[in-house]
Amino acid sequence: MKISLGIVPLFALLPLSVAADEIQTSAGVMAITPMVQGLEEPWGVDFLPDGAFVVTERGGRVLLVRDGQAQPVGGVPEVLAEGQGGLLDVMVPRDFATSREVWISFAAAVEGGGTTAAGVGRLSDDGTRLEGFRIVFQGEGYPGGRHFGARLVEMPDGSVALTTGDRGTGPGGMQAQDPMLVAGKVILLKRDGTPAVTQEGWLPGAFSLGHRNIQGAALDLTGRLLTVEHGAQGGDELNAPDLGRNYGWPVISYGRNYNGDPVGRGTEVQGMEQPLHYWDPSIAPSGLMVYSGALVPEWKGDIFFGSLNSDFIGRLDPDTPTRTGFAEERLAAPETERVRDIVEAPDGSIWFLSVFDGAVYRLAPGSAS
């Protein structure tokens, strides 16, 4: 089904003045406060310099929220809202104050089925429209509605990383290993949408390959790109994609096929990278953020992510190694069920999207009472 943003009705915001809950964590009590409620399958969130924020809904809306009031943003493309596809991530570049650019990723209908696409437009001065929106990248088409990836990250040099998935081609499909295909890659683009990297024998813009379905991406405090991706039955991974590297899917994995058989050739093959951390059984990690330590110094440099099949926000401590990678803390509350995205706000608080609640929440030190 294709959905145009202009036909989706507005929603009613609920009161935001009362904290919803509090949880005990390794860094003390944290308050969870609802910032927006009544959303329909929120997918991505990012901030403008003035404190307003932009939220996407998978079904086809972009919303700008300022001072507790939300308005729809027009001028965005028609999206393919089928299966896991639809309107996906949003990214506000660091130079927004002068460029007013906003990037979005989405599933688009193309020959052969659906594909991961990205585009950019200028947010109008009144915030109601993406002016001059243009699609700057789209891949080949595949049937079905699985594994679009689609996280967007601005790199330290200003280029934009777009993640993709293998489009559900399965452990028998080698598309993620083909350097000339978009499926199962990290793509690096210049701000004008042209390829930011070229490698002999690779699709222009293709940065790394062998990924199953990257659902979270962020820079660490040194500017290194990190990603989290879904495995099959087990084998979810945290990786640090680098130029020209192969991350293994579907040749190696720490998970198994859904029928219980091993994936590919096991867990290690020469020339293929090992994950920084892996999960078995699967948690379906989504969203990724490396924390600055602004409000919680104990968590500086730690890696936060959501889970789409469980009820927690995860925190990995890179300073504490374990058999599977890093020590992990799980922060669980009624609001943390099926967390799609997680970001650090300009004030150092941690914001996350709950698909289950249809809400954006703020996590910060303090009591909810």
Side-chain angles (χ1 to χ4, degrees):
M1 166 174 66
K2 298 177 184 177
I3 296 181
S4 172
L5 298 182
I7 65 173
V8 185
L10 283 172
F11 65 91
L13 290 177
L14 300 182
L16 305 179
S17 59
V18 179
D21 204 353
E22 63 179 18
I23 57 173
Q24 183 66 49
T25 76
S26 60
V29 174
M30 299 287 158
I32 300 176
T33 306
M35 305 308 293
V36 175
Q37 295 175 295
L39 300 172
E40 297 179 9
E41 200 166 352
W43 213 97
V45 60
D46 205 358
F47 292 90
L48 303 187
D50 64 1
F53 58 98
V54 184
V55 182
T56 60
E57 294 177 322
R58 191 186 65 81
R61 285 195 297 187
V62 175
L63 298 165
L64 175 64
V65 185
R66 177 180 282 113
D67 299 325
Q69 300 296 316
Q71 64 181 31
V73 177
V76 300
E78 192 175 64
V79 305
L80 182 67
E82 292 183 2
Q84 298 168 2
L87 185 61
L88 304 173
D89 206 10
V90 59
M91 189 275 288
V92 178
R94 292 185 292 270
D95 68 356
F96 175 85
T98 54
S99 71
R100 296 195 64 82
E101 284 189 352
V102 174
W103 284 63
I104 61 172
S105 63
F106 54 99
V110 296
E111 184 178 355
T115 191
T116 301
V120 59
R122 181 189 181 277
L123 185 66
S124 62
D125 292 341
D126 62 4
T128 62
R129 187 170 185 82
L130 286 181
E131 300 171 334
F133 184 88
R134 65 192 190 280
I135 296 174
V136 297
F137 180 86
Q138 63 183 26
E140 66 275 358
Y142 295 88
R146 298 175 62 201
H147 299 183
F148 290 92
R151 287 296 174 191
L152 292 163
V153 176
E154 185 179 12
M155 300 293 282
D157 65 358
S159 60
V160 178
L162 168 69
T163 74
T164 76
D166 71 347
R167 293 293 286 110
T169 53
M174 295 296 288
Q175 288 85 347
Q177 288 290 317
D178 188 333
M180 290 301 295
L181 297 177
V182 170
K185 309 297 187 295
V186 173
I187 305 294
L188 199 62
L189 304 170
K190 296 180 181 179
R191 287 286 295 276
D192 63 4
T194 59
V197 293
T198 56
Q199 304 183 75
E200 185 176 356
W202 289 51
L203 180 78
F207 182 76
S208 62
L209 57 74
H211 302 286
R212 185 171 183 267
N213 189 25
I214 299 176
Q215 289 281 286
L219 300 181
D220 71 9
L221 300 189
T222 71
R224 178 180 61 163
L225 179 66
L226 299 180
T227 60
V228 284
E229 64 186 85
H230 293 186
Q233 188 169 305
D236 301 336
E237 296 182 356
L238 169 72
N239 286 303
D242 203 356
L243 182 65
R245 300 293 179 88
N246 185 337
Y247 292 84
W249 180 261
V251 180
I252 61 172
S253 174
Y254 282 88
R256 302 181 74 85
N257 293 328
Y258 294 109
N259 64 4
D261 292 341
V263 171
R265 295 161 59 185
T267 60
E268 296 184 32
V269 166
Q270 187 174 1
M272 295 185 177
E273 305 300 315
Q274 287 291 298
L276 300 179
H277 183 96
Y278 70 89
W279 291 268
D280 188 14
S282 291
I283 62 162
S286 187
L288 193 67
M289 179 267 291
V290 180
Y291 187 58
S292 73
L295 291 183
V296 189
E298 301 97 312
W299 289 346
K300 183 177 180 178
D302 290 354
I303 301 163
F304 287 78
F305 54 90
S307 169
L308 290 175
N309 69 8
S310 300
D311 61 352
F312 65 87
I313 291 170
R315 179 185 68 86
L316 295 176
D317 178 3
D319 295 327
T320 307
T322 67
R323 179 184 61 83
T324 58
F326 305 130
E328 181 177 350
E329 177 183 16
R330 295 186 173 184
L331 313 179
E335 295 80 11
T336 61
E337 187 167 354
R338 195 163 167 78
V339 170
R340 171 67 73 178
D341 199 12
I342 186 163
V343 296
E344 182 175 346
D347 67 357
S349 59
I350 296 170
W351 288 38
F352 62 93
L353 304 184
S354 168
V355 177
F356 185 80
D357 286 350
V360 178
Y361 290 108
R362 177 181 186 268
L363 177 75
S367 173
S369 61

